[in-house]
Amino acid sequence: MLDHAPEPKSGTTLVAMVMETIRDRIAARVLAPGARVPSIRRLAEALGVSKSTVVEAYDRLAADGAITARAGSGFYVTRRAQPFALAEPGKRPERVIDPLWIMRQALEEGGPELKPGCGWLPADWMPDTAIRRALRALARSDTAGLVDYDSPLGFAPLRHHLAGRLSERGIAAESGQVLLTDSGTQAIDLVGRLLLQPGDTVLVDDPCYFNFLAVLRAHRVKVVGVPRTPAGPDLDAFARAAAEHKPRLYVTNAALHNPTGASLSPAVAHRLLTLVEAHDLIVIEDDIFADFEIEPSPRLAALDGFNRVIHIGSFSKTLSAAVRCGFIAARPDWIEGLIDLKLATGFASGAVAARLVHRLLTDGSYRRHVEGLRGKLARAMGETRRRLEALGLTPWVEPRGGMLLWAALPDGLDSAEVARRALAQEVVLAPGDVFSPSRTAGRFLRFNVAQCASPRIFTVLEEAMRG
């Protein structure tokens, strides 16, 4: 029984105050695991609140797993108390800058606000009004779409629409060759589960998107990097690596390559597929940045016809990171195997997300949004490039669109050390070696031009470069 009612914190509801009271008693071990919590009536009287307030608080605590209801007996503590602490834990000790370092820094709750090294657009660049409108429309739609599992392939109208979008890029796919996933990362993971065994070798670009490295290492395969040129992979190095390592897969971005922003040239695309055929490889073509392109570059899936290419994409970068919806387009026999893996590991993809994306794609909202994004990104690209060059950084290539700019620091500077100094001033940069399997990109930083509007970023960068 409480001796007195605590004063609610400013902005805290009465329900939240009741919940905090019980949580504090559990954390302090006043209420041990298995102990009966005060009855609704007694706690309401002790705290000076209504019984309905306590009922709602207990319902929320039960939903959170902190307490459980026993019929005719009351509520009891179910969750073991967390280790006693007088204060919130501080920042983690420094860790090696590895492929997951940037994501951890950029996604940390309460972390730095300035994130020129992250890989997504600012929230105020996203079509939140259109998303809210689409959500309201979904709320009024058929209840089955809000509560039921989706079909194994995923929401049929969206798959049909995606097949049409692919055909506009020269990729001939029927809706039955499109499998919906919850993200592009899940798509790569599913393909890896289908086609890889531990110990296999996979080729990637050097540098490449750092999460390719993380996902592939989770599959316990050997990752071999092929130097990237502005026109695509170094074909001579690709041929040597394929002959020496006998790889199973090659994972790449054909358009607006991450992290360099470069795009595949037609000549390199054709020669690359010849090498893929000669060395019996399968290609995963991650096309997540496709809609940022102003002029389309070659797609390996269009040239190959899904013989050896698996094409994946998602809407996390262009629409919403919170609306998890991706897809895989591949030949029918691979799709069959991927359906089984999807059911085994995730059962079904997000039905609500798929319906939301379909509505935005078909009501014109997405097209208008993307057209506006291209212009904003082009302006941001020019401004960011100008500011970086003024500090002595050299862009590796002039991207044909998108949000990524790969730039070299002046000689003698290490991007990992520069990134650590910038992080100490609450700015998250993306050092080059997290993208490089061979760890040979130590002079480079990847910049997201959409996240580079604040002049403070360049002030901090200049200071970090000076040491």
Side-chain angles (χ1 to χ4, degrees):
M1 188 76 176
L2 294 176
D3 295 328
H4 63 278
E7 289 293 328
K9 297 178 181 177
S10 176
T12 300
T13 66
L14 291 176
V15 171
M17 182 269 288
V18 174
M19 294 175 67
E20 184 178 359
T21 298
I22 296 299
R23 286 197 176 109
D24 287 347
R25 289 166 66 81
I26 293 173
R29 293 176 171 82
V30 175
L31 291 172
R36 187 175 186 270
V37 301
S39 70
I40 292 170
R41 180 184 60 79
R42 291 176 65 193
L43 191 62
E45 291 176 353
L47 298 181
V49 298
S50 68
K51 288 189 287 185
S52 63
T53 296
V54 178
V55 168
E56 183 175 349
Y58 278 10
D59 283 343
R60 292 188 187 183
L61 288 167
D64 193 42
I67 63 177
T68 186
R70 297 182 188 175
S73 179
F75 290 88
Y76 292 79
V77 176
T78 56
R79 179 174 294 167
R80 290 196 171 275
Q82 295 295 316
F84 183 74
L86 291 173
E88 290 294 317
K91 288 187 177 180
R92 295 184 181 88
E94 288 191 355
R95 60 178 280 173
V96 174
I97 296 182
D98 60 22
L100 295 174
W101 184 86
I102 300 169
M103 283 192 286
R104 290 177 68 105
Q105 305 303 329
L107 292 172
E108 194 73 44
E109 186 176 358
E113 292 185 6
L114 298 178
K115 304 172 183 179
C118 79
W120 52 86
L121 295 175
D124 59 3
W125 284 39
M126 294 307 210
D128 60 309
T129 300
I131 292 172
R132 291 175 191 277
R133 184 172 59 246
L135 284 169
R136 287 194 294 269
L138 285 178
R140 297 190 297 267
S141 65
D142 181 14
T143 302
L146 301 178
V147 300
D148 285 348
Y149 288 114
D150 219 335
S151 66
L153 276 169
F155 187 48
L158 177 57
R159 291 188 292 103
H160 179 77
H161 186 82
L162 290 175
R165 285 169 55 87
L166 290 173
S167 69
E168 294 173 2
R169 297 177 190 141
I171 302 172
E174 298 178 359
S175 61
Q177 291 177 261
V178 178
L179 172 70
L180 298 187
T181 65
D182 284 336
S183 65
T185 298
Q186 188 197 29
I188 294 174
D189 182 56
L190 287 174
V191 173
R193 291 173 185 270
L194 179 71
L195 298 177
L196 293 174
Q197 296 291 331
D200 283 348
T201 297
V202 177
L203 300 185
V204 297
D205 297 318
D206 192 351
C208 70
Y209 173 40
F210 53 73
N211 210 33
F212 288 170
L213 303 177
V215 172
L216 291 171
R217 287 168 184 166
H219 285 281
R220 301 184 182 183
V221 299
K222 179 182 179 181
V223 178
V224 175
V226 175
R228 178 79 185 199
T229 77
D234 181 318
L235 294 175
D236 290 337
F238 188 98
R240 289 194 298 271
E244 178 181 353
H245 298 285
K246 305 294 187 293
R248 176 67 169 150
L249 298 178
Y250 168 50
V251 185
T252 189
N253 306 114
L256 302 179
H257 175 261
N258 188 355
T260 67
S263 294
L264 195 64
S265 75
V268 170
H270 283 282
R271 291 181 58 199
L272 175 62
L273 286 175
T274 300
L275 290 173
V276 165
E277 178 76 24
H279 292 280
D280 193 25
L281 274 83
I282 298 167
V283 179
I284 301 177
E285 181 178 44
D286 181 355
D287 206 21
I288 193 171
F289 298 113
D291 289 334
F292 288 142
E293 275 196 304
I294 298 172
E295 294 293 332
S297 55
R299 295 300 192 275
L300 296 172
L303 299 172
D304 175 74
F306 292 128
N307 181 37
R308 292 184 172 275
V309 176
I310 297 172
H311 189 84
I312 69 174
S314 90
F315 296 91
S316 299
K317 306 301 183 186
T318 53
L319 184 60
S320 169
V323 180
R324 309 301 289 165
C325 184
F327 65 90
I328 303 171
R331 69 192 202 198
D333 59 324
W334 284 339
I335 291 293
E336 282 299 309
L338 289 166
I339 289 173
D340 289 345
L341 281 168
K342 175 184 169 182
L343 292 173
T345 59
F347 204 82
S349 51
V352 174
R355 284 157 175 78
L356 177 62
V357 169
H358 178 255
R359 183 171 291 273
L360 291 166
L361 289 178
T362 55
D363 70 3
S365 301
Y366 184 76
R367 176 186 56 78
R368 292 189 297 272
H369 165 64
V370 169
E371 287 176 355
L373 277 182
R374 291 178 187 140
K376 292 176 71 172
L377 285 169
R379 292 188 291 274
M381 183 69 72
E383 179 63 15
T384 302
R385 180 169 185 155
R386 181 187 66 77
R387 288 178 165 178
L388 292 176
E389 288 175 342
L391 295 180
L393 284 83
T394 305
W396 186 70
V397 70
E398 184 173 355
R400 298 171 56 181
M403 61 183 173
L404 303 179
L405 186 62
W406 185 241
L409 291 162
D411 288 340
L413 291 178
D414 177 70
S415 62
E417 189 57 37
V418 169
R420 285 198 188 281
R421 293 172 189 156
L423 183 62
Q425 298 192 58
E426 302 294 310
V427 174
V428 178
L429 296 175
D433 272 352
V434 303
F435 304 92
S436 174
S438 63
R439 310 285 290 182
T440 55
R443 281 185 57 209
F444 285 86
L445 288 164
R446 187 195 72 177
F447 291 90
N448 177 348
V449 301
Q451 297 278 3
C452 287
S454 173
R456 184 171 178 272
I457 290 170
F458 302 95
T459 301
V460 170
L461 174 58
E462 184 176 20
E463 293 173 359
M465 289 167 60
R466 289 202 206 105

